[in-house]
Every structure is written in structure tokens, then in C-alpha cells.
Amino acid sequence: MKGICTLGNDYVFDQLVALLNSIDVFLGSEIPVCIYPFDEKIQRITEEIAKRPNVFIYDNQQSIQRWDQFMLEASPASMTRKYRIYGGHRRFCAFDEPFDKFVYLDADTLVMDSLDLVFQKLDEYDCIVYDFQFKQPDKVYNIGSPKLFEVFDQNRLETEIFCSGFYASKKGLFDENRIAKLLSYLRAGEREILYPRGDQPVINYMFMRSGLKICNLAHYLPSEQVTGSTVTSKHFEEKERILYDKGNRLTYLHYIGITPKISQAVCAGENIEFPYRDLFLYYRYLHEPDKRPFFKNPPRSYNASPPGLLTKALQKLKLFRG
């Protein structure tokens, strides 16, 4: 069985709804979708998916605890006294169940096309990705560590590094034996080669250190067919609620850098501009367009400084309209 996986809680509610609606449009409302809970704050998403029979929340506590424990040991941050685990790594539960083949998407993504090719390539590879994270290896590994180049050669660092916001893989790749071996390497000093924060370095290490086959479509596809995928690319063209990169349809769009707080504020009616905002709002309110926010105030950029206290006070007195 194949399916889609994501990670969520009520904090990313608006982003998650937009993702689920894009899945409805491009993959169909029957493909199963498994949400791995970031934490226990899932009341809103539980209510939302009650009307989506293909969507369910993962509740295998033994699996969740297994990966919680793994992350406690695997992360370089675990060596500090103040370390606490966050729930991002719970996406790793997809290696346990429920799908034989799965595509994982972060909540802040939108599907833009069929994923048939991605699923098909899993017959040849263990992991399919489609991004340009390999151009920024310092966000995955500690490139200042001499040990890094003892573990991985330069070619692998240039071709296998990937962004953890989108990847496809298979159930059963990381059994107890493989996990034990990875932990033995990490305890022996290889933690130092990882970028110190987040779960993205850990999943890259898991695949690369295990010698599993990774296919990045950015390398595999003919260069004239390759597209970008992040909102930091401002040149995409929109046609009928789909984005194109120099005539080629995007597979997915990643709203990287647009925090859940920004999405929440916009959905609450704050006029904050961010790249491809109208596209996000279209999919967020696909099934309830009457609830789409109407903006009354002038827009401000998502990366602009918020108004100061004096400005806010003057706005309340209607003496300042900037």
C-alpha cells in the first residue's frame, strides 16, 4: 500500500489544511494520508480530519517512543544539559508503518502535480528527493569537522544531501539492527559531523551512513525539465492555480521561511504579504471560500519589522496609517 505522510499539530493547522486540500486536488481524496503528531496538541486537526475519511492520525505509541529515544541519543544537541526533544523526528515513524511506500511532505508544502514518478522510482531506490539542499551542506553537516570527510567523500556530499521537507521512501528500512549500528557510530564520535539542530541532519545521516540508495530528481531529470520548489524562487508563473518554472510544472511548493505564525496571522485577517500568498489562501480555503479573510489594512511584508509600540498607539488613535 502507498500513501502520503506529514507531520502536524494545531500550531500548523492552517498550513496543514492547505496541504490536505492540495492533495485532494492533485492526488485525489481517496489516497490515504497519515499525520504523525508533533505533540499532544491535536484537537483542531482531529476535528478537521473527521470529515476526511482518507486522513488519520498515527497513534502507535511504541513506535513514537522508539523514535523519541533514538533522537535523544542521535542528536548532537543531546550532549548539552538543556537539550529537549521536539516532535519533528516523529516523521521517522513512517519507516515503521503504515505504508509500504510513502511520500513525506512537510505541513508547509503544497502538492502541485502527480507523484507517480516519485513512487515509481522507489522500485529502484530507497529514497527519492527533489531539491537543491546539496548546495548548502552546512545546514546538514558540520563542514568544519575533519571527521566529516572521513565518513563521507566529497561526491556523496554533493549528490546525496537533501531537504527533509519532501522525500519518498519505504517501510522497514530502519529496523532495530540498523538503528543500533547507527547509534554505535554516533556514540563513537560521529555526532560531531552533524549540524547541531533539527532532525534534517539526522535523517540525512541515517540514509547516507547506511549506504542506502538516494535519487535526487534534480540530478536525475534532464536539466531542461528540472524545477525549483521553494517560495524563495520568485520567478514561478501561475496558471490555473498551478506553478510553473520556465514552462515546467512544479511537483510541490515549499513555503520555507513562512512560519506558522505568519500563516495564522494572515488567516486571522492580518494583511501580511509573502511569496505566493494568494495560492496558499486558495488551497487553504478551497472547501470553504466564504471564510477566506478580507484584508482591511495596508499590507506589510512577512520579513518586515513589526510596528513599534509608538506606531501601534498612534494607529489606535487613528493618527498614523502607515
Side-chain angles (χ1 to χ4, degrees):
M1 179 174 66
K2 67 180 183 180
I4 304 299
C5 299
T6 188
L7 180 75
N9 63 1
D10 290 347
Y11 183 59
V12 300
F13 178 82
D14 294 299
Q15 294 173 325
L16 180 62
V17 171
L19 169 61
L20 293 176
N21 288 343
S22 74
I23 291 171
D24 284 351
V25 172
F26 297 107
L27 306 181
S29 58
E30 295 184 357
I31 189 167
V33 180
C34 179
I35 302 172
Y36 298 96
F38 189 91
D39 54 29
E40 71 282 358
K41 298 174 183 177
I42 55 173
Q43 181 177 349
R44 288 187 75 195
I45 63 173
T46 300
E47 294 169 356
E48 169 64 28
I49 68 172
K51 54 192 175 187
R52 299 175 185 263
N54 62 314
V55 184
F56 56 96
I57 295 174
Y58 191 71
D59 63 356
N60 184 332
Q61 293 303 311
Q62 182 177 357
S63 170
I64 290 172
Q65 290 169 14
R66 180 170 91 96
W67 288 107
D68 283 356
Q69 184 58 41
F70 170 76
M71 194 65 180
L72 274 172
E73 297 193 56
S75 172
S78 65
M79 294 183 286
T80 69
R81 292 182 179 181
K82 296 181 180 179
Y83 179 65
R84 53 169 292 194
I85 60 169
Y86 296 91
H89 63 277
R90 290 181 175 177
R91 71 188 74 192
F92 303 166
C93 293
F95 298 117
D96 294 345
E97 57 181 1
F99 307 122
D100 299 310
K101 294 180 179 179
F102 64 87
V103 175
Y104 171 84
L105 294 124
D106 270 351
D108 62 341
T109 57
L110 296 176
V111 177
M112 288 275 108
D113 200 359
S114 162
L115 298 178
D116 287 349
L117 174 63
V118 177
F119 279 113
Q120 289 168 11
K121 298 306 291 181
L122 283 175
D123 292 334
E124 305 173 47
Y125 296 89
D126 300 304
C127 182
I128 313 298
V129 300
Y130 194 2
D131 63 74
F132 297 88
Q133 185 67 56
F134 57 84
K135 293 185 177 182
Q136 294 181 301
D138 57 323
K139 298 301 183 182
V140 174
Y141 291 113
N142 173 13
I143 60 174
S145 168
K147 187 182 289 291
L148 175 62
F149 299 96
E150 297 174 10
V151 178
F152 303 123
D153 63 41
Q154 186 69 36
N155 180 65
R156 293 190 67 192
L157 294 172
E158 292 175 355
T159 59
E160 297 182 26
I161 285 176
F162 63 93
C163 172
S164 63
F166 174 97
Y167 59 90
S169 193
K170 310 169 188 177
K171 180 171 73 174
L173 288 181
F174 295 98
D175 59 16
E176 295 292 346
N177 290 334
R178 179 162 278 164
I179 289 297
K181 185 174 291 187
L182 288 170
L183 287 174
S184 70
Y185 297 146
L186 291 164
R187 290 174 187 136
E190 292 187 10
R191 279 196 196 97
E192 77 169 55
I193 74 172
L194 301 182
Y195 181 75
R197 294 192 299 275
D199 50 89
Q200 177 169 281
V202 175
I203 193 169
N204 271 267
Y205 177 84
M206 287 164 59
F207 274 104
M208 293 177 63
R209 194 65 172 92
S210 300
L212 296 169
K213 294 175 66 178
I214 302 169
C215 172
N216 191 333
L217 296 180
H219 296 306
Y220 173 83
L221 293 172
S223 58
E224 66 273 12
Q225 295 179 19
V226 173
T227 73
S229 59
T230 68
V231 294
T232 52
S233 297
K234 306 294 179 63
H235 64 279
F236 298 150
E237 295 181 329
E238 182 182 336
K239 298 176 184 177
E240 299 179 348
R241 311 297 183 179
I242 299 170
L243 291 182
Y244 294 82
D245 185 351
K246 299 177 182 177
N248 296 303
R249 182 169 170 169
L250 268 64
T251 300
Y252 70 102
L253 178 66
H254 192 178
Y255 284 86
I256 192 165
I258 312 301
T259 68
K261 285 185 178 180
I262 293 171
S263 300
Q264 291 168 5
V266 169
C267 291
E270 289 192 41
N271 195 359
I272 304 173
E273 289 281 7
F274 58 82
Y276 310 106
R277 185 185 74 170
D278 286 347
L279 196 67
F280 165 76
L281 289 171
Y282 172 77
Y283 287 103
R284 166 62 181 88
Y285 294 99
L286 181 72
H287 298 313
E288 43 187 9
D290 56 311
K291 294 184 179 180
R292 181 169 171 163
F294 175 76
F295 303 112
K296 299 178 181 179
N297 298 320
R300 66 178 176 88
S301 174
Y302 74 101
N303 53 11
S305 299
L309 293 176
L310 177 59
T311 299
K312 288 182 177 180
L314 293 174
Q315 285 174 338
K316 286 184 179 181
L317 294 171
K318 299 183 179 180
L319 296 176
F320 182 87
R321 297 183 181 275

